[in-house]
Amino acid sequence: MNKGLMIGALVVLGSGAYLGGVAYTGQQADSFVQQQLDVVKQQLGDQGDIAVTATEGFFESQYRIEYTLSDYPEPIFPALETNKIPMDLTVKHGFLSANSTVVLAEGELLDVLKRYLDDSDQAPFVLESTQSFNPISQTSRVNARAETARMSGDLEDGATFVVGAAQVEFNQSGRDFAATLTMDDSYITAEDGELRIEGVSGEETGVLDSDFLQDAVMAEEFNAVVRAEQIVFRDAQQQATLDSLAITVDQILDGGRVLLSVGYGAEKATLEQGDVLSVVEVPNLSMTFDFDYQAVRDLAEVTQSMQPDADDPEVAFEQMQLIVETLDRVTQEGVGIDLNDLSFEMEGEKAQAKADLNLVPFTASDLMMSPLMLLQYMELQADVSMPVAMSDKLGDEERMQLQMLVEQGFFILNDTDYTANLSVEEGKILLNGSEFPLF
């Protein structure tokens, strides 16, 4: 089961209902909800089905929505003993506004989850939202909050787990939106290993491409960051720890182009293997992608309208053709990829890599028969450097491997640094100024 489809379905079910309550009441609200469900059904294809039963009212409407998965992931749902997700949706109608609440309905799934809830009286999932419409500005406002309860228990193999409670808040006014995430510590522990994630939080602000949430295809601009105070992975041979991880994603529009920047950074990464302790400080990765905005938006719109796992070969072929044609429009406008920074430090010494890649306009479908043709459209400059002083801090095996790379011409050793330069020009790969053979 595509997780994105599951999340998308819940969003449509939650938002579509209260949006219907804003514009209409009674049967018209039910009609609007049914329209949103039809969209979800189309996206699900053969992966699942949605059934809805409505009780209409002038001031309040209630819906029982049952989401049945025909292709669900192992081993999660067998442990939950059911592939049905029933939800109760209540919509309270107001003048140009509506309030809605979505909870997991009584049934097999809720009975199973109650075994793992720390508080069996607490709902495992609640989504509350308020929607209002301004007829003068013709804009909508959305305030929503979702909560999941803390769950813990034992697994069949003797492992124990905890899934921390999480809270998500979302606010949208016209095209502007903001979201926040907080999640308590989570872990799974077994006799020979452990995975622990602590201090998760995040926030995002941005601008949609539509004044109405249900009509938006993508965000025109946004800024997002997700943080984790610590991630620990341990098995019988080693333990890896990542402290103060931050993942950032930024998107802006610049003259009809989308500039998407992605960054990964941490305070330090530690690896313990027996008596050997390796510490890498300030590991950092920063990249920027440059695309044509309208072409990317068209691709997003086509992807969202696809029917997954189409059994009809003709339908599947038509969908693939449409994606390829739309992808061609993206690549025909040129693509840029910059590696702004790939670096880390060890005891004050810093290793770093930078790269600038431009893909001149080309047709993506032409590469399907001959992927190596991509070199003809590439313009690449990449540089890597590592201080000699840092190599002294490496283990014997790592120093031997580095020396072999120097002897083979991959790195150049000078007085202070190991360096390497990689470039692609006119279909030729040059490594440290010498042509690098492909075969």
Side-chain angles (χ1 to χ4, degrees), residues 326-338:
T326 312
L327 183 59
D328 279 347
R329 294 203 293 273
V330 176
T331 59
Q332 284 170 351
E333 296 296 333
V335 176
I337 304 174
D338 290 339

Side-chain angles (χ1 to χ4, degrees), residues 183-201:
M183 185 173 183
D184 296 340
D185 299 348
S186 302
Y187 63 84
I188 179 169
T189 302
E191 182 177 350
D192 58 349
E194 178 184 34
L195 174 62
R196 180 181 296 271
I197 303 176
E198 299 179 353
V200 175
S201 64

Side-chain angles (χ1 to χ4, degrees), residues 339-354:
L339 177 61
N340 304 315
D341 185 29
L342 173 60
S343 61
F344 64 91
E345 298 180 12
M346 293 181 68
E347 298 181 17
E349 302 291 341
K350 183 176 182 178
Q352 189 171 30
K354 293 185 177 182

Side-chain angles (χ1 to χ4, degrees), residues 252-271:
I252 62 172
L253 293 183
D254 183 12
R257 304 288 295 183
V258 174
L259 301 182
L260 178 65
S261 299
V262 181
Y264 299 82
E267 180 182 322
K268 66 178 178 178
T270 305
L271 178 63

